[in-house]
Amino acid sequence: MSDHTAEGLVLSNPRGSGFRREAERAVRVMVNARWPIFAVVFLLLAAFAAVFGAWLAPFDPNRQNLVLRLAAPMAAGPDGGVFWLGSDALGRDVFSRLLYGARVSLTVGFAAITVGGTIGIVAGLLAGYFGGWVDDVIMRLGDIQLAFPFILLAIMFLVVLGSGVWNLILVLGVGQWVTYARIVRADTLSLREKEFVEAARALGDSTPSIIFRTILPNILAPLTVIASFNVASVILSEAALSFLGLGVPPEVPTWGSMLAESRDTLVANKWWLAVFPGVAIMLTVLSFNILGDWLRDFLDPRLRERT
Amino acid sequence: MKLRMHMPRVAAAGLLGAIALTGCAEPLEDTIVVGLSADITTFEPGMISSRDNANIARHIFASLFTLTAEGEHVPELAHTLEISDDGTSYVYTLNEGLTCHDGEPLTAEDVAYVFNRIADPANRFTGNTPGFVFTSIGFVNAEALDDLRVRVDIAQKNPIAFGLMTEVYIHCKDAYEAMTLDEAASNPVGSGSYRLASWTRGSEVVLEKVREPGNFQRIAWRIIPEASTRTAELIAGNVDIITNVVPEQVEAIDGSGRAEVQVVSGTRRMYLGFNLSDEHARMPGGDAIQDPRVRRALQYAVDVPTICRQLLSVECERATSLVNPPNGNASLTPYPYDPERAERLLDEAGWRRGANGTRFSIRLQAGQGRYVNDVNVVLAIAQYLEDVGLDIDLELMEWASVYTPLLRERQAGPLFFLGTGGGLWSPIYDMTDLAQVGSGTNYTHWDDPRWFDRWPDVVNAETPEARRVVLDEMLQVFHDDGPWLLLYFQPDFYGVSNRIAWQARRDEHVEIFEARLK
Amino acid sequence: MGAYVVRRLLQSVVVVIGVTLVTFLALQAGGDPTYLFVSERASLEEIEATRRALGFDRPLHVQYLSFVGDLARGDFGQSLSYRQPAMEIVLEALPATVELTVFAMVFALLLAIPLGVLAAIHRGTAWDGSITTFSMLGQSIPSFWMGIMMILFFGLYMRLFPISGNVPFLAPLLSGDVVTAFTNLPRTIFHLVLPGIAVGTYSLARNTRLVRSSLLEVLEQDYVRTARSKGLRERRVLIHHALRNAWLPVVTIVGLEFGFLLGGVVVVETVFSYPGIGRLLFAAINQRDIPLVQAGVVLLAGIFIVLNLVVDLVYLRLDPRVKLAGGRG
């Protein structure tokens, strides 16, 4: 797997260094490590499916065919079509649902990270920059959340809010913010006293400008690493919540909910219902993990301790 | 070096030991193991409300009369019942020599105590007996006339009060007077043939036989919520009977050679309700279903036999009204699947397809995880309704805390999916869901006078035959213009180990008294 | 040190109160749970009477304040569905979950350390490759799916392990029945194997990677190089210098791990019909059994806080350079 090369240096200010040289190094690290290439290729494929799935899908992913339910892969479907990957318990085409599922699953993953990341970054910046009671309140809120097993918190809110794609994104996102907040806070604390921040202050920049224009760009790099690991864990959480009946509504295909739906038919050997979404999840999670590793090695080997 | 040589052997011994240990898990000859899907919460007679909970309690507490699998009420603790002419006073005569599990004699005084204790508002009981039985019969008071005779007074004449009172769990007075409510909840002292031996919350209830009837010394009820796990335990031979087999797993069980699935046509009436309240009439589609012609049209739109065959893997008993067979109106036949006719009727009712092929939009609400394959059934129904030109806005909700309150406030709809428990012993029991327009169970707000104005005729009918005529007329109205899209009586799936002879009942009661080893 | 512990404990009180408030508001926001406590055919009057009996007709702040008042006296109230003291029920379910979590944690750590070390010292070889691939896979399989597959394969097909349920060890031990406890122990462990692996696999995979990478990092450090260059044997270097320092991040993880594993038990306890606190609380949330959920959540939060405090103190012993002032919250 990815070697962390001696080149992996700290980026003190990513905007400052030669972009081209950085890009070359990024590609070189990736090629040397080999695995990240597979990860990127797979994620591009998944993204392609997410964007163009509607055109690629041979069937309407929600069209039922009760008499053709639980058909094995390659079985004949309706209207002369073929169920390439079989059909599910309502006779819906697994392949088409998998393609549409890419869109929802990846959207949920990225949106949850965006929600969690945004809340976490803002909270961390405020806590780190202002310190004092602001810091206390924000960090105590973080403690409260961490003291809950996340899944219980998620269950509680989904039971109350009802399950829907947006509620799911919200809950999964809010579940992530503390991680980001803590890292951003620590970085902000140390940057606050740095010369270039002092300089900005001396030049009379407004506080929001200092926080978001001067400090923020300098702490983003490590967050991308955490984000790429978190996409993977969000996709898994989504599957777990689907299993508990709290995921997306049943007519919306996601890989997690497809896998959760397959559990009743496992004992009946309808393997295709579990294997295809299972493999899709596995490859996605794998890719994001590999990508996270690579990013970490690329950006700063010392980040390891914190992720 | 020497040590190394021994390693594989040690490992092998460990593995053998391990295999021997699993062998121990096989059920014993004198113990029957039943796998339930839902957890149980209490043994307090006044608090028991779920079916699974009642099924276990039924083995601990006997009742005055009991309901057979065929739907007949037969004597149990009492041998005779006399009802006063005005129908408000019930005198039971108990068998002689009855005792409770702690040896205390069971007399009329105890029975009166049981009834009055449950009704006592100070106890704040919310179970099936106070919440349903007593409110339905209008319980007033119970009183011992002598050692063996007890009189129960109810508010007014009620043709099904006798049947409902069989659901009261009988126990003795002294033991319960000595316990706090907390203690009583987990230490039942009953009058039935089994007593509680141990209870591990969320895991297992073990009952021990103390008297006849019963062929097993012990009944172990295991709580196994996950369907695949229940099935695996049954096939592995660790469990003898499981409830709620998922239809998709029937084949795997039947093919295992170790157990078989029994499917019975249950008494639960599955339907799609039309909420006809004024509030819903103002919602999209809510106006359309006010018209009985539209409701009738939709009856033809859903292919119930295919849903049953494919999603429930059986041919279901089709519903012709809200009454369980054979108590229904014998002249009625189920609506056939006829989408063309449905479309024609919708056209005639004035709801033609628009430019986008849609006649009207309507919301369909349902809970999930409650009935056999419910999510898939609802999705299939939605598809059939869309096929005849409706635009369905489907809302599937968490059952207990989201859907139930909506339902109880009669706010679900305009279309909603529901299964309501029924009985085999009286058509009136099934029909009392719609006793009044304002009944809590009239989730549809249906108010057809051809139904609701007939109840006095039912109560006051001179003979059973005369009553039957009235009932049949009401059921005809319900079939033609009723507020339910009639689906099916829910089939119940039980997995039964090959070592056991046991017959599943239609009414969701699981009774182990007659079960035996083959 | 004493002052630090006191300060941390005071902060914890704030956290616990926050936890109860969030729980209370979340569960109340979905409407009152009266309907779950009346029968299917109960009349509207009956429902109203039950609502009064359960106390849900009172204004929200009154309900919460009365709850907090009771809490201050150590009274968590009665579970609505069990009608038993809520804390008692939760404590009854706790030992089984502790058994499961400890098993999973031991499994995850015991295997992670040798696997991680192996991968690190054979960096770039097939060892490293397969261990890393395995740990990647382990991080991408949902636990419920793995649980069901293990039930079908190891439970049903191979008949190696029990499919569901548990045999208590801690519960009889705590009630003083040592004989039963130790007679049960082999079967306890036996019942823990499949659910324990299902809970612990994700952590095992993550910890393996963590051990590997922190060891790799330490091996690059100057003092290890110095030790090597002094001609110390590889194993000595590894044990005396590298591993000792690689421990730090692992210790940090252990504290957080417990909370994480507890999250996993909700799903796994359901799959394996394992009577622990996760399933109990999941059911309680669905039932809107607020006192029971409160008792469970406060207990779990308490355990989490204490555990993290202990971890921080251990951390302090291992690495005196860590300053007290910051704490880790």
Side-chain angles (χ1 to χ4, degrees):
Chain A
M1 221 211 50
S2 53
D3 292 336
H4 63 115
T5 55
E7 280 175 290
L9 300 167
V10 193
L11 300 176
S12 57
N13 188 343
R15 286 194 303 179
S17 48
F19 174 77
R20 191 172 171 159
R21 214 172 56 235
E22 287 300 322
E24 275 173 17
R25 190 168 69 87
V27 172
R28 200 163 59 244
V29 172
M30 188 183 274
V31 170
N32 281 344
R34 275 193 223 100
W35 283 107
I37 299 217
F38 290 107
V40 167
V41 167
F42 175 77
L43 288 178
L44 284 178
L45 270 178
F48 184 76
V51 176
F52 299 105
W55 287 276
L56 295 172
F59 297 98
D60 173 351
N62 277 321
R63 180 70 220 180
Q64 305 168 15
N65 268 290
L66 289 189
V67 287
L68 294 174
R69 69 196 293 262
L70 298 176
M74 308 303 287
D79 313 323
V82 175
F83 289 136
W84 295 111
L85 303 182
S87 72
D88 73 0
L90 281 165
R92 298 173 297 194
D93 181 37
V94 172
F95 181 54
S96 303
R97 289 181 75 71
L98 215 53
L99 288 176
Y100 273 83
R103 179 180 300 180
V104 188
S105 296
L106 294 180
T107 307
V108 168
F110 280 114
I113 294 305
T114 310
V115 169
T118 309
I119 301 176
I121 289 170
V122 171
L125 282 170
L126 295 180
Y129 189 80
F130 292 110
W133 67 268
V134 178
D135 185 23
D136 266 346
V137 168
I138 290 174
M139 287 300 108
R140 231 35 75 219
L141 281 176
D143 288 349
I144 290 173
Q145 169 151 353
L146 283 188
F148 269 103
F150 164 66
I151 198 113
L152 279 186
L153 195 69
I155 291 169
M156 219 146 62
F157 278 91
L158 287 174
V159 162
V160 171
L161 295 174
S163 55
V165 175
W166 293 110
N167 288 343
L168 195 68
I169 289 171
L170 195 69
V171 166
L172 291 173
V174 169
Q176 312 272 342
W177 76 273
V178 190
T179 324
Y180 296 95
R182 288 191 164 180
I183 288 170
V184 170
R185 170 180 175 271
D187 285 351
T188 310
L189 270 177
S190 65
L191 282 184
R192 191 171 59 171
E193 314 301 335
K194 286 266 156 61
E195 278 165 24
F196 66 98
V197 178
E198 297 283 351
R201 218 175 277 146
L203 285 173
D205 278 10
S206 68
T207 307
S209 161
I210 294 173
I211 294 179
F212 292 103
R213 295 234 182 111
T214 313
I215 297 182
L216 181 61
N218 284 292
I219 55 174
L220 278 180
L223 300 180
T224 54
V225 177
I226 297 164
S228 67
F229 285 123
N230 276 353
V231 175
S233 79
V234 164
I235 289 175
L236 283 185
S237 297
E238 195 259 318
L241 289 170
S242 288
F243 168 81
L244 295 173
L246 294 167
V248 296
E251 69 273 23
V252 178
T254 68
W255 295 342
S257 66
M258 289 172 76
L259 191 58
E261 279 164 22
S262 79
R263 71 188 197 267
D264 284 344
T265 44
L266 278 177
V267 68
N269 281 329
K270 310 291 186 222
W271 53 270
W272 58 92
L273 295 180
V275 165
F276 297 121
V279 167
I281 291 180
M282 223 177 276
L283 289 177
T284 310
V285 173
L286 215 61
S287 301
F288 277 113
N289 273 328
I290 292 172
L291 211 62
D293 270 350
W294 163 76
L295 260 177
R296 185 176 51 192
D297 289 346
F298 167 68
L299 290 173
D300 176 6
R302 278 184 295 171
L303 277 175
R304 212 169 249 131
E305 272 182 51
R306 299 198 302 208
T307 51
Chain B
M1 200 61 201
K2 204 172 182 191
L3 186 79
R4 238 179 220 191
M5 293 284 287
H6 286 285
M7 283 306 281
R9 244 174 278 169
V10 173
L15 199 66
L16 280 179
I19 291 165
L21 273 171
T22 27
C24 293
E26 299 264 329
L28 306 161
E29 291 275 291
D30 61 351
T31 304
I32 183 167
V33 186
V34 185
L36 301 176
S37 55
D39 199 3
I40 61 137
T41 52
T42 183
F43 286 105
E44 164 55 57
M47 290 299 287
I48 293 164
S49 58
S50 79
R51 187 72 256 162
D52 285 324
N53 210 148
N55 278 334
I56 302 180
R58 182 69 194 89
H59 293 78
I60 301 175
F61 299 100
S63 52
L64 295 170
F65 277 65
T66 188
L67 184 63
T68 65
E70 292 73 38
E72 269 178 85
H73 289 102
V74 296
E76 193 170 47
L77 295 175
H79 58 78
T80 22
L81 165 66
E82 296 151 78
I83 305 174
S84 66
D85 290 340
D86 66 351
T88 61
S89 167
Y90 286 61
V91 177
Y92 291 91
T93 309
L94 302 180
N95 298 327
E96 282 184 52
L98 297 170
T99 56
C100 288
H101 292 162
D102 59 350
E104 185 187 345
L106 173 57
T107 64
E109 191 200 352
D110 296 299
V111 176
Y113 170 77
V114 165
F115 275 81
N116 293 325
R117 175 178 180 271
I118 285 174
D120 185 352
N123 288 331
R124 301 196 297 144
F125 289 140
T126 56
N128 178 63
T129 311
F132 169 51
V133 174
F134 280 18
T135 47
S136 300
I137 64 178
F139 174 79
V140 177
N141 183 43
E143 195 182 329
L145 300 177
D146 53 44
D147 259 10
L148 294 177
R149 292 194 310 141
V150 58
R151 194 188 70 225
V152 179
D153 293 328
I154 63 175
Q156 68 271 324
K157 187 174 177 180
N158 182 331
I160 59 169
F162 159 60
L164 288 172
M165 275 192 265
T166 61
E167 295 181 23
V168 179
Y169 305 104
I170 304 297
H171 54 81
C172 290
K173 180 178 176 183
D174 292 359
Y176 277 78
E177 292 241 284
M179 287 190 284
T180 65
L181 290 179
D182 275 12
E183 289 163 349
S186 43
N187 299 289
V189 182
S191 53
S193 59
Y194 287 84
R195 66 171 195 87
L196 180 65
S198 71
W199 176 23
T200 318
R201 267 193 203 90
S203 175
E204 191 175 49
V205 176
V206 180
L207 305 184
E208 215 168 46
K209 187 177 165 188
V210 286
R211 61 178 68 130
E212 296 303 324
N215 295 323
F216 289 92
Q217 270 314 306
R218 267 176 297 278
I219 309 175
W221 307 80
R222 290 197 44 204
I223 317 299
I224 311 177
E226 184 56 27
S228 302
T229 314
R230 272 200 310 282
T231 296
E233 287 282 32
L234 177 73
I235 296 176
N238 301 325
V239 171
D240 296 306
I241 296 174
I242 61 172
T243 61
N244 292 339
V245 175
V246 175
E248 275 83 9
Q249 299 178 353
V250 169
E251 228 173 292
I253 293 175
D254 286 344
S256 71
R258 303 196 59 157
E260 258 173 33
V261 174
Q262 288 184 19
V263 190
V264 290
S265 175
T267 51
R268 192 168 288 278
R269 300 152 290 162
M270 308 304 300
Y271 65 94
L272 203 65
F274 298 103
N275 197 326
L276 305 173
S277 77
D278 294 341
E279 196 184 323
H280 286 83
R282 288 190 291 271
M283 297 177 65
D287 45 352
I289 58 170
Q290 296 283 333
D291 184 343
R293 288 175 300 173
V294 172
R295 300 203 293 270
R296 212 174 307 139
L298 298 183
Q299 306 265 13
Y300 292 103
V302 179
D303 187 354
V304 181
T306 301
I307 289 179
C308 286
R309 215 171 294 135
Q310 296 297 333
L311 298 181
L312 309 177
S313 66
V314 288
E315 304 286 336
C316 320
E317 184 83 56
R318 291 289 308 280
T320 60
S321 73
L322 73 176
V323 172
N324 266 284
N327 302 325
N329 180 338
S331 67
L332 297 174
T333 52
Y335 287 97
Y337 172 54
D338 189 346
E340 282 88 33
R341 186 155 175 194
E343 299 227 24
R344 206 168 60 236
L345 286 170
L346 285 168
D347 285 344
E348 284 168 17
W351 295 94
R352 300 182 173 281
R353 281 183 188 262
N356 57 358
T358 302
R359 297 173 189 277
F360 57 86
S361 295
I362 192 162
R363 185 175 73 189
L364 165 53
Q365 295 183 315
Q368 47 181 320
R370 174 79 168 193
Y371 310 117
V372 182
N373 230 340
D374 50 9
V375 170
N376 283 342
V377 168
V378 172
L379 287 170
I381 291 171
Q383 173 88 71
Y384 281 115
L385 294 179
E386 292 196 331
D387 286 349
V388 296
L390 273 61
D391 171 38
I392 301 290
D393 169 19
L394 188 59
E395 280 186 16
L396 282 150
M397 289 172 268
E398 194 276 324
W399 173 267
S401 53
V402 186
Y403 189 54
T404 308
L406 204 63
L407 206 59
R408 291 291 173 76
E409 276 159 11
R410 307 205 283 157
Q411 295 286 329
L415 295 179
F416 62 93
F417 178 75
L418 190 65
T420 304
L424 292 172
W425 50 277
S426 162
I428 301 172
Y429 179 85
D430 286 351
M431 291 164 73
T432 44
D433 281 329
L434 305 178
Q436 296 159 26
V437 176
S439 293
T441 44
N442 183 8
Y443 304 121
T444 61
H445 296 261
W446 190 47
D447 59 1
D448 197 319
R450 293 174 296 164
W451 171 281
F452 290 97
D453 292 354
R454 301 303 299 278
W455 280 111
D457 300 342
V458 174
V459 175
N460 300 324
E462 296 282 320
T463 63
E465 289 74 24
R467 180 173 291 150
R468 186 71 246 182
V469 173
V470 182
L471 294 178
D472 280 346
E473 286 167 11
M474 290 169 75
L475 294 177
Q476 181 78 50
V477 172
F478 189 88
H479 174 266
D480 295 342
D481 296 335
W484 291 11
L485 196 163
L486 298 160
L487 297 172
Y488 52 87
F489 297 98
Q490 172 167 278
D492 294 326
F493 295 76
Y494 297 90
V496 185
S497 157
N498 285 347
R499 76 170 191 141
I500 300 287
W502 177 78
Q503 187 54 52
R505 289 169 58 137
R506 288 183 53 196
D507 55 5
E508 299 183 7
H509 291 228
V510 175
E511 293 197 352
I512 304 299
F513 302 112
E514 315 240 304
R516 56 179 172 78
L517 288 177
K518 269 186 186 161
Chain C
M1 179 91 108
Y4 169 73
V5 173
V6 169
R7 206 176 70 105
R8 282 283 302 270
L9 287 177
L10 280 178
Q11 283 178 357
S12 307
V13 172
V14 178
V15 171
V16 167
I17 289 179
V19 163
T20 62
L21 185 62
V22 170
T23 312
F24 180 82
L25 290 178
L27 289 179
Q28 280 290 352
D32 82 66
T34 309
Y35 295 102
L36 304 170
F37 301 96
V38 292
S39 93
E40 214 167 277
R41 293 194 180 189
S43 65
L44 290 175
E45 300 81 62
E46 189 66 30
I47 291 171
E48 199 39 56
T50 308
R51 177 173 292 132
R52 265 199 309 279
L54 295 169
F56 294 128
D57 57 335
R58 298 173 299 167
L60 274 193
H61 65 276
V62 175
Q63 289 186 43
Y64 182 68
L65 288 179
S66 94
F67 163 77
V68 172
D70 290 344
L71 190 66
R73 291 194 302 275
D75 176 9
F76 284 85
Q78 289 237 324
S79 151
L80 298 175
S81 42
Y82 290 100
R83 275 237 184 166
Q84 299 270 308
M87 202 39 146
E88 240 171 59
I89 295 174
V90 172
L91 285 175
E92 224 175 81
L94 185 66
T97 298
V98 169
E99 285 164 6
L100 180 58
T101 338
V102 168
F103 183 96
M105 190 135 61
V106 169
F107 163 76
L109 279 180
L110 278 194
L111 275 177
I113 292 170
L115 286 180
V117 171
L118 208 60
I121 56 180
H122 296 288
R123 189 167 117 210
T125 66
W127 277 108
D128 188 17
S130 41
I131 290 172
T132 309
T133 311
F134 159 79
S135 64
M136 288 262 182
L137 282 179
Q139 275 187 291
S140 53
I141 300 177
S143 57
F144 69 87
W145 196 73
M146 186 160 164
I148 294 175
M149 287 311 284
M150 285 198 300
I151 283 178
L152 294 181
F153 190 73
F154 295 111
L156 192 55
Y157 180 67
M158 302 274 287
R159 308 242 162 174
L160 278 178
F161 294 101
I163 291 167
S164 70
N166 80 324
V167 176
F169 165 72
L170 281 180
L173 191 68
L174 291 174
S175 63
D177 191 352
V178 182
V179 179
T180 312
F182 282 94
T183 326
N184 279 354
L185 188 58
R187 290 199 298 141
T188 306
I189 294 174
F190 213 54
H191 275 83
L192 281 172
V193 174
L194 298 187
I197 292 176
V199 173
T201 297
Y202 185 90
S203 300
L204 167 63
R206 201 182 45 187
N207 293 349
T208 305
R209 275 153 49 97
L210 187 82
V211 171
R212 175 185 176 275
S213 60
S214 55
L215 190 58
L216 277 180
E217 188 161 333
V218 173
L219 287 173
E220 296 289 316
Q221 306 265 319
D222 288 345
Y223 62 92
V224 176
R225 290 205 185 131
T226 317
R228 269 185 186 151
S229 65
K230 276 196 294 193
L232 289 177
R233 278 181 34 220
E234 194 65 18
R235 179 179 292 186
R236 269 188 73 90
V237 172
L238 199 63
I239 292 173
H240 284 267
H241 295 88
L243 267 182
R244 185 181 286 171
N245 287 288
W247 262 112
L248 282 175
V250 176
V251 169
T252 318
I253 285 279
V254 170
L256 294 167
E257 190 86 341
F258 185 77
F260 177 81
L261 289 174
L262 272 178
V265 301
V266 179
V267 167
V268 172
E269 285 179 356
T270 305
V271 171
F272 286 92
S273 173
Y274 191 91
I277 206 167
R279 233 177 91 198
L280 180 78
L281 292 185
F282 180 47
I285 291 173
N286 275 330
Q287 290 286 321
R288 294 290 164 79
D289 191 339
I290 299 174
L292 192 55
V293 178
Q294 290 283 22
V297 166
V298 168
L299 184 70
L300 292 182
I303 293 176
F304 183 82
I305 288 167
V306 170
L307 218 68
N308 271 296
L309 184 58
V310 172
V311 165
D312 284 356
L313 294 179
V314 171
Y315 204 83
L316 210 66
R317 285 292 299 266
L318 286 176
D319 187 356
R321 284 170 304 171
V322 177
K323 280 194 234 98
L324 283 178
R328 293 187 317 112

